[in-house]
Amino acid sequence: MTALDRRAFVAATVASIATPTALGAKECPTAGMDWITMSLEARNLAYNNVEHVGPENARKKTEGWAAASKTLREQRPQHLDLAYGNGERNKWDLYPASDPQAPCFVHIHGGYWQRGSKEIFACLSEGPLARGWSAALCGYTLAPETTLTHSTGLMPRPLSTASRGPSSSPAGPRAGI
């Protein structure tokens, strides 16, 4: 495996995702970006990716990701839907690297805590997997069935399980962040 500078990897990943979106993005209000004082409309706009990229583009992108993710999940079904909590969606998927010492890409899907699923975004693991990394994707209960505080409070569970090593995680000892 080629040595990979983590900072360069993150920068390249962010740039590849953000640049095409930013080119056609509508401006989110910059004045008054205090989340406490912002209106509900302004907060929703800040998280509304569909509004920023357009409904047709968002639909096509989501359909493409879902199809690619379905294929990946079918090819690597060994460690899917591992429960970390009591909720139906409190499950995570692991895609372990062949090297148990490999770093792990962790993805917590977007959707403003109200929509989306780990199943749709599994394809985002393909790059790290191709470079010998493990990957972990966390699902979580969506609002309004639960609160944001509750969902974010559960996130350390799957991550700490992965970081404990091969006895507790098929992703290996360095699977945590």
Side-chain angles (χ1 to χ4, degrees):
M1 182 171 91
T2 304
L4 180 65
D5 178 278
R6 289 179 189 218
R7 187 174 305 231
F9 173 75
V10 170
T13 302
V14 169
S16 70
I17 294 168
T19 302
T21 301
L23 292 175
K26 294 181 181 177
E27 287 296 318
C28 184
T30 55
M33 287 300 286
D34 179 351
W35 294 102
I36 294 171
T37 61
M38 287 174 71
S39 70
L40 178 59
E41 181 182 7
R43 285 193 308 255
N44 285 339
L45 178 60
Y47 283 102
N48 189 344
N49 291 332
V50 173
E51 181 67 25
H52 292 285
V53 301
E56 185 62 21
N57 188 33
R59 183 189 60 75
K60 287 178 183 176
K61 186 62 95 174
T62 302
E63 288 173 358
W65 284 342
S69 294
K70 182 177 186 246
T71 299
L72 177 68
R73 290 173 58 82
E74 288 170 351
Q75 292 170 346
R76 300 184 69 153
Q78 297 86 351
H79 306 291
L80 302 180
D81 297 319
L82 306 172
Y84 70 84
N86 296 328
E88 176 60 31
R89 295 174 58 104
N90 296 140
K91 297 176 182 168
W92 60 315
D93 295 345
L94 283 177
Y95 301 99
S98 56
D99 177 2
Q101 296 295 316
C104 185
F105 166 77
V106 176
H107 180 77
I108 301 170
H109 73 82
Y112 198 16
W113 304 96
Q114 299 173 4
R115 60 191 162 276
S117 71
K118 64 181 174 54
E119 291 81 7
I120 294 171
F121 293 97
C123 66
L124 299 181
S125 300
E126 291 173 339
L129 292 170
R131 286 156 183 81
W133 288 40
S134 294
L137 289 89
C138 300
Y140 53 86
T141 304
L142 300 176
E145 188 177 328
T146 192
T147 65
L148 175 61
T149 301
H150 182 258
S151 289
T152 57
L154 289 174
M155 287 297 112
R157 287 185 185 179
L159 301 178
S160 65
T161 300
S163 67
R164 282 197 298 268
S167 63
S168 63
S169 168
R174 294 200 44 217
I177 298 176

